[in-house]
Amino acid sequence: MADTKREIERKYESDESGLPDLTGVAGVKAVIDKGVAHLDAVYYDTADERLAAAALTLRRRTGGSDAGWHLKVPVAPGVRDEIREPLSDTVPDSLAALVRSRVREAELRPLVRLRSDRDVRHLVDADGALLAEVSVDAVRAERLTDGGGTAQWTEIEVELADDGDPDFLDQVEKRLRKAGVRPSASASKLARALAETARTPESEKSASGKSGSKKKRKAPPVPEEPAAPVTAGDHVLAYVRAQRDAILELDPAVRQDAYDSVHRMRVATRRLRSAFRSYGKVLDRTVTDPIGDELKWLAGELGVDRDREVVTERLTTVLGELPDTLISGPIRTRLDTWANARRGGSRGRLIGVLDSQRYLALLDTLDAVIADPPLLEAAAGDPSKVIGKAVRKDFGKVSALVEEAIEAPPGPDRDFALHEARKKAKRTRYAAEAATPPLGTPARTLAKSMKSLTSLLGEHQDSVMVREILRELSAVAHAVEESSFTYGVLYGREEQRAAGVEAALPGAWEEIVAEGSVQG
């Protein structure tokens, strides 16, 4: 199984290329020389450098204390998770899977080789505990593709010790700056290597001897940022792009079963689908509706275990609140058995979905829509008018459903109407989120109101689901002659919970309408 290490580090460059004295840094008792390590790393990417564009690095490194395959995933500026696998001749399947959403069907191949002579120092405190590792790296870069060049440089790297205080790096940087050391212009060694080894007309001229000028260092390539939104289409596409990016960024986390990652990816797919539906006057729905169908499929696959988790959490909480006198029979065991059913199989099924051609084709389609959007005439219009009209239309649908639910008699009809209102409230919330940049406070207020309404109606829907499961579990208990008393107690509490939501809804809805927002 892959090992993951959180890296918090900073990179610097200096004209002197040496390491200043760091014994004066606050908290540092000693600077210990750990010798020189010789590192040899080959970085893999697609021919069009898709991993580099996403700030991902995949390498096979020998030498040093952590030889092996490393995949580095950005977490925040200066913070990356390094996922490690042992040395092998080919890219480990586990790491290839983590970059599949970026690579798709393209081949991962050697792109750049970096050989570094790393002079290492440990900064330790009075107890001898490691505070940070500081190294001076003499780097030689070689592009491995046809026509590639070479480059070399020296840099200083400061990596915080595991569980260290990030503020300590500020103290080290303060000392380095005083000594004339400056932060590196490149985010990583690979970024600098790609920039400096790329074959350009200038480098070809220099290589042929026609120019004796010294090659200047070029800044690393930066993914081109879209222009600031101006039209209605610009704003909608910015929202669509953000949700597509969220899906791509969450893919590795879902594969690693990171906390809340499945739910967050599911929300991104819903936001994307809602944007296509809400802004059908901006993006041609004859193009986006089929994509919406695929997004609905993906959201469904991501949500296979979600309802089970919601019910389990609710019932576990309520059981913990019941006095022992109201608990009869092995209800906790019965609940655990139900909660864990299919869990292992569904996990494997989800990984299969993310590896499927259908999922990868959906990602390709989203890329194509963003690159060549099916814009309609309204896309060129005033964002406040076009987007505002779309949001008001969505709110009108929510309003009709809420009023219908309030007027309906308690029972299945009201339950259905409330569930439909909840779904439309979610869609309106997402539409308002996309509308916030051009519309400002009114859209922000509406998004907040719809989030509150969704939460309230979600309480009701959760109660509906819990009662359905309680009926199933009670029937099973009865069939094997176990007491079903506690199931009845829980069912009664869930009825009260739903009745409370229904009683609170008219007042909550009046407050939302009174706020006005963009619906007026």
Side-chain angles (χ1 to χ4, degrees), residues 184-245:
S184 176
S186 299
S188 65
K189 288 183 176 66
L190 177 62
R192 183 166 182 174
L194 290 174
E196 296 195 13
T197 63
R199 180 66 75 182
T200 64
E202 289 77 10
S203 63
E204 290 174 357
K205 188 175 181 181
S206 176
S208 65
K210 295 181 180 180
S211 173
S213 61
K214 184 178 180 181
K215 181 182 177 183
K216 295 182 179 180
R217 181 186 171 193
K218 298 175 65 178
V222 178
E224 192 171 319
E225 292 291 334
V230 176
T231 66
D234 292 335
H235 282 283
V236 172
L237 284 173
Y239 189 76
V240 168
R241 186 181 298 108
Q243 305 318 313
R244 186 279 312 268
D245 291 348

Side-chain angles (χ1 to χ4, degrees), residues 378-519:
D382 182 341
S384 62
K385 294 181 180 179
V386 175
I387 291 178
K389 183 178 180 180
V391 175
R392 286 191 293 273
K393 182 179 179 181
D394 276 351
F395 182 82
K397 294 178 180 179
V398 175
S399 180
L401 285 168
V402 171
E403 296 292 347
E404 177 185 338
I406 291 174
E407 294 298 325
D413 289 344
R414 176 179 284 183
D415 292 345
F416 178 79
L418 289 173
H419 185 44
E420 289 298 304
R422 176 173 177 254
K423 290 192 291 185
K424 288 297 187 296
K426 277 188 178 182
R427 175 174 158 183
T428 304
R429 174 192 169 188
Y430 299 149
E433 287 177 349
T436 295
L439 300 185
T441 300
R444 191 177 297 110
T445 299
L446 180 59
K448 183 178 179 181
S449 296
M450 290 298 99
K451 181 179 180 180
S452 176
L453 178 62
T454 300
S455 296
L456 181 64
L457 298 181
E459 279 284 303
H460 189 277
Q461 180 59 22
D462 288 351
S463 174
V464 172
M465 287 194 305
V466 169
R467 279 178 281 160
E468 290 178 357
I469 299 305
L470 285 171
R471 281 194 294 267
E472 292 179 13
L473 294 177
S474 177
V476 172
H478 180 74
V480 295
E481 299 183 350
E482 293 174 359
S483 172
S484 58
F485 170 76
T486 305
Y487 297 104
V489 172
L490 295 176
Y491 193 96
R493 291 199 170 205
E494 289 302 325
E495 282 187 319
Q496 291 179 342
R497 179 186 178 197
V501 171
E502 293 173 19
L505 178 60
W509 180 245
E510 285 182 9
E511 290 182 9
I512 290 173
V513 173
E515 287 177 341
S517 297
V518 297
Q519 70 267 20

Side-chain angles (χ1 to χ4, degrees), residues 345-363:
S346 62
R347 176 72 191 157
R349 175 185 172 86
L350 179 55
I351 297 301
V353 167
L354 298 183
D355 286 338
S356 70
Q357 290 299 316
R358 185 174 182 178
Y359 170 67
L360 298 179
L362 171 58
L363 297 182

Side-chain angles (χ1 to χ4, degrees), residues 123-388:
L123 307 185
V124 299
D125 64 14
D127 296 325
L130 179 65
L131 299 171
E133 180 176 283
V134 183
S135 63
V136 179
D137 295 345
V139 185
R140 301 177 302 283
E142 174 189 3
R143 187 174 283 256
L144 301 177
T145 53
D146 293 340
T150 61
Q152 61 183 33
W153 68 88
T154 298
E155 69 179 34
I156 296 172
E157 182 176 293
V158 183
E159 181 176 345
L160 189 68
D162 293 346
D163 301 319
D165 183 357
D167 290 342
F168 177 71
L169 295 183
D170 294 334
Q171 299 299 321
V172 176
E173 180 165 317
K174 183 178 180 180
R175 177 69 186 88
L176 291 174
R177 283 180 177 271
K178 283 185 178 180
V181 176
R182 58 190 179 277
S184 176
S186 299
S188 65
K189 288 183 176 66
L190 177 62
R192 183 166 182 174
L194 290 174
E196 296 195 13
T197 63
R199 180 66 75 182
T200 64
E202 289 77 10
S203 63
E204 290 174 357
K205 188 175 181 181
S206 176
S208 65
K210 295 181 180 180
S211 173
S213 61
K214 184 178 180 181
K215 181 182 177 183
K216 295 182 179 180
R217 181 186 171 193
K218 298 175 65 178
V222 178
E224 192 171 319
E225 292 291 334
V230 176
T231 66
D234 292 335
H235 282 283
V236 172
L237 284 173
Y239 189 76
V240 168
R241 186 181 298 108
Q243 305 318 313
R244 186 279 312 268
D245 291 348
I247 292 173
L248 293 177
E249 289 166 6
L250 285 165
D251 180 287
V254 171
R255 292 174 184 273
Q256 293 178 291
D257 202 18
Y259 172 74
D260 204 37
S261 58
V262 172
H263 174 62
R264 289 164 59 201
M265 181 185 276
R266 190 184 188 195
V267 169
T269 64
R270 285 176 164 174
R271 283 184 165 128
L272 199 46
R273 182 168 178 254
S274 292
F276 288 150
R277 292 172 65 85
S278 294
Y279 296 108
K281 298 294 184 182
V282 174
L283 297 174
D284 187 352
R285 287 191 58 176
T286 63
V287 175
T288 61
D289 275 359
I291 304 174
D293 291 340
E294 291 301 283
L295 289 167
K296 183 179 180 180
W297 159 76
L298 178 57
E301 294 292 347
L302 291 167
V304 165
D305 286 336
R306 179 60 179 170
D307 290 348
R308 188 171 293 257
E309 291 171 359
V310 169
V311 172
T312 301
E313 182 178 354
R314 175 63 186 173
L315 288 177
T316 301
T317 300
V318 176
L319 273 173
E321 297 170 350
L322 285 182
D324 292 341
T325 54
L326 294 181
I327 299 178
S328 63
I331 186 170
R332 287 192 173 90
T333 301
R334 183 70 62 191
L335 177 59
D336 288 343
T337 300
W338 178 85
N340 292 318
R342 303 187 306 115
R343 180 167 293 176
S346 62
R347 176 72 191 157
R349 175 185 172 86
L350 179 55
I351 297 301
V353 167
L354 298 183
D355 286 338
S356 70
Q357 290 299 316
R358 185 174 182 178
Y359 170 67
L360 298 179
L362 171 58
L363 297 182
D364 286 340
T365 303
L366 290 174
D367 289 348
V369 163
I370 291 171
D372 185 18
L375 298 173
L376 298 176
E377 183 177 353
D382 182 341
S384 62
K385 294 181 180 179
V386 175
I387 291 178

